[in-house]
Amino acid sequence: MDQDFLLGDTTRGLRFQLEYQKAEEHLRKWGVASTVIVFGSARVKPGEANGWYDAARDFARICSEEGGAKLAHNGPRQNVIATGGGPGIMEAANRGAHDAGAPSIGFNITLPMEQEPNAYSTPDLTFRFHYFAMRKMHFAIRAAALVVFPGGFGTMDELFEILTLRQTGKMDDALPVVLYDSTFWKSLINFQHFVDTGMVAKRDLDLFGFADTPRQAWEQLVKRGLKAPGAKA
């Protein structure tokens, strides 16, 4: 009951541990062995002309149906959709898993401007973190693949963190990364300029690929090594 003590500087390590432990226990209870992370803007809305919301929803449905996450699937759940749990692209991806009758994860975060969990992530797999670091750790622990839709600074942070983990060998070398909407990404970032100026090796550009349809995104993941029990040949 001593809130001053529990929320003090000296107990920060304990709070880190508890944020790790609660989510871990729920994920194990649900048999979540691996996840497919979907990042993207919280500002995207259904029906917008860019089609990103609908594409994220359709991709997550395909992934949930063919990746091994469905509720009827026997054994450990594979490739369960995991998002930041908020609105926009996150909502769309959780919604796509919901359409397929599969569970999905919402790793929400407490922000100054309140971000409420969306209505589609599985309630028992919806978490609200205080620490960005622990949230990012949970994203990475079970990640089997990453699909990144257009987004802002937060999306860039999440994308480049995963790419850095891949580049430095701190994450599974087989983890495929796909950027959705090649026109957006190639207009936003001159990836070749990193190579031309010696900032990264040429092979580092092979850490990710591009896709322009939900089906293409899924096929890119499988082609790049994602293990998917129900993938179509």
Side-chain angles (χ1 to χ4, degrees):
M1 299 300 292
D2 188 344
Q3 295 295 302
D4 291 337
F5 171 73
L6 292 175
L7 300 177
D9 290 344
T10 61
T11 54
R12 183 173 288 114
L14 178 59
R15 295 197 299 275
F16 260 74
Q17 181 181 352
L18 290 173
E19 283 211 332
Y20 169 77
Q21 185 173 343
K22 179 178 179 180
E24 182 67 18
E25 287 184 359
H26 282 253
L27 291 165
R28 290 189 182 192
K29 176 183 175 183
W30 277 76
V32 178
S34 66
T35 60
V36 172
I37 306 169
V38 179
F39 288 142
S41 175
R43 305 184 183 195
V44 172
K45 294 180 174 56
E48 289 184 334
N50 54 48
W52 295 329
Y53 183 100
D54 293 336
R57 180 178 177 181
D58 197 27
F59 166 77
R61 177 189 59 77
I62 294 170
C63 177
S64 297
E65 289 176 345
E66 301 182 25
K70 291 201 62 169
L71 289 168
H73 182 68
N74 295 321
R77 300 181 195 276
Q78 305 290 341
N79 305 315
V80 176
I81 291 292
T83 79
I89 293 297
M90 297 173 280
E91 175 187 292
N94 289 128
R95 188 173 181 178
H98 185 269
D99 292 341
S104 68
I105 302 162
F107 291 127
N108 213 272
I109 185 77
T110 301
L111 298 173
M113 295 183 66
E114 193 71 14
Q115 175 178 297
E116 290 296 328
N118 67 64
Y120 298 100
S121 60
T122 302
D124 203 36
L125 296 175
T126 301
F127 311 100
R128 184 186 291 275
F129 291 90
H130 177 75
Y131 296 106
F132 267 108
M134 188 52 63
R135 179 182 185 239
K136 287 181 175 183
M137 183 174 177
H138 272 293
F139 268 126
I141 286 173
R142 287 176 169 79
L146 171 65
V147 178
V148 189
F149 283 78
F153 293 164
T155 302
M156 299 303 110
D157 170 60
E158 292 161 335
L159 166 62
F160 280 101
E161 180 167 45
I162 295 295
L163 289 180
T164 301
L165 290 172
R166 287 286 320 282
Q167 182 193 46
T168 57
K170 295 293 186 181
M171 204 166 192
D172 188 350
D173 288 342
L175 186 142
V177 178
V178 170
L179 309 184
Y180 191 88
D181 191 337
S182 59
T183 299
F184 173 88
W185 288 104
K186 291 177 181 179
S187 297
L188 180 68
I189 302 172
N190 184 351
F191 290 103
Q192 184 61 39
H193 191 60
F194 286 117
V195 177
D196 295 342
T197 55
M199 298 299 104
V200 303
K202 184 177 180 180
R203 65 178 178 274
D204 290 333
L205 297 190
D206 294 330
L207 292 172
F208 57 91
F210 300 93
D212 293 304
T213 69
R215 173 56 65 179
Q216 187 180 54
W218 174 245
E219 291 174 350
Q220 273 277 322
L221 294 183
V222 174
K223 180 180 179 181
R224 288 173 168 270
L226 178 68
K227 296 178 181 178
K232 295 178 180 178

